[in-house]
Amino acid sequence: MPGTTAFPDPSHLSRRGALGMGLTAAAALALPAQAASAASPAAVPGGERLAASGVQVRRRAGAPKLPKLAAKAWLVADGDSGEVLAAYGAHRALPPASTLKMLFAATVLPAFPHDLKHRVTAADLAGIPAGSSLVGIQAGTTYTVHQLWQGVFLRSGNDAVHVLASMYGGVAKTVAAMQARAADLRAGDTHVVSPDGFDHPGQLSSAYDLTLFARAGLKNADFRGYCGTKAAAFPAGGGKSFQIQNTDRLLTGQGVAAYDGLIGVKNGYTSHAGNTFTGAATRGGRTLLVTVMHPAPGYEAVYRETAALLDWGFAAGGAVRPVGELVTPLSEQPKAAASPATGSRGTRGAPPASPPVAHDEGWALGGSATVAALAGGSLLALRRRARPSGRRRRG
């Protein structure tokens, strides 16, 4: 959080150096959690079933079947109770693309008042990765914080992210604060390297962690309002403006049918990550959260699979038993609650480990072996070198 970690003045660092500091800080904060998870299957956030291979679902008689999906990882959870209704590869560490902006917003959004004005400088815009999605911020133009956040949520603008990060104290401080926020949310699969979610070696998250970020963010009325805004006027300089539209296609209905009851929250794309999306919707007094990562190629696939999982979750109702839970953040637990080193099942406790029941799917592999493999994969990802590629587009 602001002011909690001391760093050298970011103005004295190159942007590359700042990103390097961010990677070091991210690794230092994330690795102890990985080690704790590998030590005991009871420490798997949300319950050990979420680290098992295969589709995880506990259907009662008459429960609807899950749709056929191509995504590398996905998760369906009840946004109110936190119960995970079904999942596949929930803790698989994958590039998150712009869905990582949910963590950025959950971290930085409370830091500035809406009406605060900031005149953008060239330094604020330095180091934005080539091929980034941009909202069109211009150096020398003054914007309100409200307008900058509209640029982040609606257009997924990396220029808006970097301006806000500069205001927050620089890239390195922002990255460290995001990693600290992830640790509070007990999102141990997440390694933050840059605040915008662009492709950087070691920048990883998971369907489980992204769902935690969405749930935490939606508790903030401003976060909820921004991610549900379809369009807004954005300054063009000289007293002029232009319209920007939300890139969440389930919200706007562009390319796919708009989803009835959709709240938000955030989509993302890079050439390396593919498409990612976390969506939330409310129907009949129930709110569901769905995260889909890396489905089949094509911009619409991630939205169609999200809509199919939302439909399934609303139809399933009480016909499925939870396979895990979204854990309670450390900052929201009673003081006597267990530390992440001794347990991570939240105040309600994850479903007890038991032999599979009728209609269970995918109880093939779990426990410490799977967790260790996940942790090892994340560590290898941190060490891997950047792969040369062309321009990468994000949205």
Side-chain angles (χ1 to χ4, degrees):
M1 305 311 293
T4 58
T5 305
F7 283 90
D9 183 355
S11 65
H12 297 163
L13 297 172
S14 68
R15 185 67 56 161
R16 178 176 294 178
L19 284 175
M21 283 186 61
L23 176 55
T24 302
L29 284 165
L31 293 183
Q34 291 283 355
S37 294
S40 170
V44 176
E48 63 184 271
R49 265 195 96 146
L50 297 183
S53 66
V55 172
Q56 300 301 312
V57 65
R58 304 173 73 193
R59 298 186 299 118
R60 301 178 188 272
K65 291 185 178 181
L66 282 161
K68 292 183 178 180
L69 305 168
K72 293 182 180 178
W74 53 263
L75 183 144
V76 186
D78 187 294
D80 298 316
S81 69
E83 293 178 344
V84 176
L85 307 182
Y88 174 72
H91 284 293
R92 183 177 180 181
L94 295 165
S98 282
T99 46
L100 193 66
K101 288 183 172 75
M102 294 187 293
L103 176 61
F104 172 73
T107 304
V108 178
L109 188 56
F112 307 110
H114 291 176
D115 57 354
L116 178 65
K117 295 181 179 180
H118 178 75
R119 183 178 176 84
V120 173
T121 67
D124 293 333
L125 300 173
I128 298 173
S132 289
S133 56
L134 304 171
V135 67
I137 291 176
Q138 304 174 31
T141 301
T142 298
Y143 302 85
T144 65
V145 165
H146 173 70
Q147 291 164 340
L148 292 173
W149 281 116
Q150 286 179 324
V152 172
F153 277 91
L154 274 67
R155 292 304 303 171
S156 202
N158 284 3
D159 46 358
V161 169
H162 279 254
V163 171
L164 286 162
S166 179
M167 294 171 64
Y168 194 76
V171 169
K173 182 176 179 180
T174 303
V175 165
M178 289 171 65
Q179 194 69 62
R181 179 68 165 136
D184 174 64
L185 296 173
R186 301 159 77 184
D189 306 319
T190 297
H191 300 151
V192 184
V193 180
S194 70
D196 50 40
F198 199 79
D199 289 337
H200 293 285
Q203 183 130 281
L204 300 166
S205 192
S206 66
Y208 184 84
D209 285 8
L210 293 175
T211 309
L212 290 179
F213 302 154
R215 192 184 190 209
L218 289 171
K219 294 178 182 178
N220 182 301
D222 295 329
F223 183 108
R224 193 180 183 103
Y226 286 127
C227 73
T229 300
K230 294 182 180 180
F234 196 81
K240 299 181 180 180
S241 65
F242 60 94
Q243 188 180 72
I244 57 175
Q245 188 178 49
N246 202 311
T247 54
D248 176 350
R249 299 187 179 196
L250 284 186
L251 183 69
T252 63
Q254 180 182 356
V256 296
Y259 194 85
D260 183 31
L262 194 81
I263 300 169
V265 288
K266 191 70 190 77
N267 58 316
Y269 170 79
T270 67
S271 56
H272 180 51
N275 287 283
T276 59
F277 183 61
T278 297
T282 300
R283 286 185 183 177
R286 294 179 65 212
T287 297
L288 295 181
L289 296 168
V290 167
T291 295
V292 173
M293 301 186 75
H294 309 230
Y299 284 102
E300 286 77 23
V302 73
Y303 300 107
R304 288 173 179 155
E305 294 198 5
T306 298
L309 285 171
L310 285 168
D311 285 344
W312 175 85
F314 285 121
V320 294
R321 289 187 277 183
V323 294
E325 67 162 357
L326 301 179
V327 293
T328 304
L330 295 175
S331 58
E332 297 178 16
Q333 292 183 15
K335 291 183 179 179
S339 69
T342 58
S344 56
R345 299 192 175 236
T347 55
R348 292 180 301 276
S354 59
V357 296
H359 306 293
D360 270 25
E361 299 174 21
W363 188 247
L365 177 64
S368 57
T370 302
V371 182
L374 288 170
S378 297
L379 291 173
L380 287 173
L382 280 172
R383 300 189 184 103
R384 73 188 181 195
R385 300 178 62 184
R387 297 176 182 174
S389 62
R391 290 170 62 85
R392 292 165 174 159
R393 297 180 58 200
R394 299 182 61 257

